[in-house]
Amino acid sequence: MTAIRDVRTDHSTDHAEKSTAELVRDLTDQVNRLARTEVTLAVREMKGKAKHAGAGAAFAGAGGVFAFYGGAVLIAACVLLLALVLPAWAAALIVAVALFVIAGVAVLMARKQLKQSAPMPSPAVENAKEDIHVVKEAGKR
């Protein structure tokens, strides 16, 4: 235990003998080392997260592809079901018309939403323009 105390005592006297400039330089070096270490750790963490995000995106894409094909098979099943009571061409035509109606409704809804999101001057922009105009007019007086 005395050896530990001696090391601590020597260490504390070491700081007492250093000048303020040396202490500031040591502090700067330690802060720089700490900052580099933190950046390195952050980069490693982000690489790991990016790897997981990439894998998640790949699985989501694969799920989307299989869902698309599942939907296509379900549509084919609807055609085959109607073909039990109608000629096959009529069953396929009815399902195609139904799909086009659904697509048309979706396009109309999308169009409505896109019109609402079009960049129109908001009241805040109009108020700002009006304020600028008032300030310019006041400056002319």
Side-chain angles (χ1 to χ4, degrees):
M1 251 181 152
T2 57
I4 293 174
R5 287 185 187 155
D6 290 341
V7 170
R8 288 182 185 162
T9 309
D10 291 341
H11 187 65
S12 63
T13 57
D14 186 37
H15 286 302
E17 294 174 3
K18 287 187 175 181
S19 69
T20 304
E22 290 173 326
L23 290 173
V24 169
R25 184 179 50 226
D26 288 347
L27 177 64
T28 304
D29 290 342
Q30 290 175 0
V31 168
N32 284 338
R33 193 173 324 123
L34 178 64
R36 276 189 245 113
T37 303
E38 290 294 329
V39 168
T40 302
L41 288 174
V43 166
R44 285 183 187 164
E45 184 179 339
M46 291 308 293
K47 282 182 181 179
K49 287 184 179 189
K51 186 177 181 180
H52 288 291
F59 284 123
V65 168
F66 284 108
F68 174 76
Y69 287 130
V73 170
L74 188 60
I75 291 169
C78 290
V79 170
L80 293 174
L81 182 64
L82 278 176
L84 294 174
V85 293
L86 298 171
W89 66 268
L93 184 64
I94 290 170
V95 171
V97 168
L99 290 173
F100 283 132
V101 167
I102 293 170
V105 169
V107 167
L108 290 174
M109 290 172 61
R111 183 175 175 212
K112 180 181 177 185
Q113 292 296 317
L114 289 172
K115 279 186 177 180
Q116 289 178 355
S117 71
M120 300 295 280
S122 68
V125 172
E126 292 299 323
N127 290 341
K129 287 180 180 179
E130 185 178 324
D131 291 344
I132 291 171
H133 179 68
V134 168
V135 169
K136 284 183 179 178
E137 290 297 320
K140 291 180 181 177
R141 293 182 195 169

